[in-house]
Amino acid sequence: ALEHFAFHEVVVQVAVALFVLFFGNGHGLEALGHRFETLFTIRYAIRVLERGRRFWAKIDVLLKVCALLSVSSAIYAIGATDQRIAIVFGAFFALTQAIEFALRPADKSAAALAAAAPYANLFAAQSGRADDALEADYLAIAAQDDFLSLESIRRLAYNDVVEERCEDTSEAYVLT
């Protein structure tokens, strides 16, 4: 019975200490809100890069499938001695290859994955960092991040993070 009483007393002391920390002088809640804003921003950066990576991976797959189908159709048309269809599919194959060469979607997908890793590592290690150190580390990573993402991807990622945190969806972007 004494062991249970001692445990209960420790729990009460911890609860009182937390109450004083957060409500006693008002600075605790501000610090907590600042930390949540920093974590929101880190999670938002991760989501933008995840969505960017998936976007470029889908573009890469689409271009490869189009190239494969067009070259297969061109070879079939050559075998069937239909030169006009072979030329059309050959031109489409050349177009898809030119688009893939110009956009380089596989490289952009890999760059987004590599750019997301430091943010994910920071988010995973956030419990062991002070608020100021967490924000400073985030700003250092963001300064080195050179991945460009589309505005629509940014809006989707922002809405994702708002939904993940179960926040008021009135703060989310209205998507059209």
Side-chain angles (χ1 to χ4, degrees):
L2 287 176
E3 295 168 352
H4 178 70
F5 179 75
F7 176 73
H8 178 70
E9 186 177 329
V10 169
V11 169
V12 170
Q13 288 176 355
V14 169
V16 168
L18 288 174
F19 183 82
V20 169
L21 173 68
F22 290 122
F23 299 109
N25 57 11
H27 297 298
L29 288 178
E30 287 178 16
L32 189 61
H34 182 70
R35 183 174 187 85
F36 282 144
E37 287 178 19
T38 303
L39 291 175
F40 182 90
T41 308
I42 293 169
R43 187 66 188 128
Y44 170 66
I46 293 169
R47 290 297 291 175
V48 166
L49 292 166
E50 285 174 351
R51 281 195 169 267
R53 184 197 59 77
R54 287 196 311 254
F55 172 78
W56 288 112
K58 288 177 183 178
I59 296 294
D60 186 40
V61 168
L62 178 69
L63 288 172
K64 288 188 186 326
V65 167
C66 286
L68 179 66
L69 291 176
S70 63
V71 78
S72 299
S73 299
I75 291 172
Y76 174 76
I78 289 171
T81 63
D82 193 350
Q83 291 180 352
R84 284 180 277 178
I85 293 177
I87 291 171
V88 168
F89 282 118
F92 186 68
F93 172 71
L95 178 67
T96 57
Q97 290 301 295
I99 292 172
E100 184 175 2
F101 182 75
L103 292 179
R104 304 180 66 83
D107 293 342
K108 289 182 180 178
S109 177
L113 182 63
Y119 292 109
N121 292 338
L122 180 62
F123 191 77
Q126 54 96 10
S127 63
R129 296 180 196 255
D131 296 347
D132 294 336
L134 182 67
E135 185 176 13
D137 291 343
Y138 164 72
L139 292 174
I141 293 170
Q144 295 174 356
D145 185 7
D146 61 351
F147 185 80
L148 299 175
S149 62
L150 303 171
E151 182 63 30
S152 58
I153 289 177
R154 288 188 196 136
R155 289 176 182 232
L156 289 170
Y158 183 85
N159 289 353
D160 288 346
V161 177
V162 167
E163 289 176 13
E164 285 174 5
R165 292 186 53 177
C166 299
E167 292 187 2
D168 185 16
T169 55
S170 65
E171 294 182 19
Y173 285 104
V174 177
L175 303 175
T176 57

